[in-house]
Amino acid sequence: MSIFETTSLRVAGVEVDGKTAEAISGRHNIIEMTQAAEDAVLRPRDAGAFGHDLRAALAARVARLAEDDALASHYLAKAGDKAALADPTETGAAQGLSAVLAFVDKVANQTRDIAAEDVSGLQTAGVEDADIVRLCELVAFLAYQTRLIAGLRLMQGAA
């Protein structure tokens, strides 16, 4: 896979023959590691309680919260029957995911306000500790990826 086929560069609109491509080609390892991290958090071998389609919906939700419609669309295409959960106004109550969505939204938007009670709320809702870590990994990756894509767009003058 070429680095220009990775999610971050495709969503940012980086062209193979542009100045941005020239600038980042010397750092191809960062782009490759970014794609590896995406694969690990979106499509892990052990998905725990959160299947790949739900992870994609959560990623699309976080991207929407970050106001990155292109990235949200990328992930939404992989969300299958969980796509409705990508809507930030969706509570997840019908799917039994209220606590999960509230936690993801708070981690994505108010990271510094996360407290022990937020984690214990997930535990009370039946979410295993390993799955809480998986949720945090997913949201942390999206925070990184949205910033990377924003930076790439700025480099191209497409902010």
Side-chain angles (χ1 to χ4, degrees):
M1 167 191 285
S2 160
I3 63 169
F4 297 100
E5 297 172 62
T6 61
T7 301
S8 298
L9 295 189
R10 276 187 288 121
V11 170
V14 176
E15 299 290 331
V16 177
D17 56 356
K19 288 185 178 190
T20 302
E22 184 180 323
I24 63 172
S25 64
R27 292 183 168 72
H28 62 88
N29 60 333
I30 294 170
I31 302 302
E32 290 166 352
M33 288 187 285
T34 297
Q35 187 62 47
E38 177 184 330
D39 295 341
V41 297
L42 270 294
R43 294 172 297 284
R45 289 185 190 139
D46 180 5
F50 306 118
H52 299 164
D53 54 348
L54 178 55
R55 288 166 180 267
L58 294 175
R61 183 182 184 95
V62 172
R64 281 184 173 164
L65 290 168
E67 300 179 357
D68 191 327
D69 293 333
L71 186 59
S73 293
H74 168 77
Y75 288 124
L76 193 58
K78 301 170 191 313
D81 65 346
K82 304 285 192 261
L85 298 172
D87 181 348
T89 64
E90 174 60 49
T91 66
Q95 300 86 350
L97 294 170
S98 300
V100 170
L101 295 186
F103 181 78
V104 165
D105 290 354
K106 188 171 183 181
V107 171
N109 289 317
Q110 300 162 305
T111 309
R112 75 174 98 173
D113 296 332
I114 295 297
E117 297 80 36
D118 297 304
V119 174
S120 63
L122 284 175
Q123 292 167 328
T124 300
V127 180
E128 298 290 326
D129 289 348
D131 290 318
I132 294 170
V133 171
R134 289 177 179 113
L135 283 176
C136 292
E137 290 171 341
L138 177 65
V139 176
F141 173 75
L142 266 291
Y144 160 74
Q145 188 177 43
T146 56
R147 286 167 178 80
L148 172 65
I149 291 170
L152 291 168
R153 288 177 179 145
L154 284 170
M155 288 174 67
Q156 299 175 96

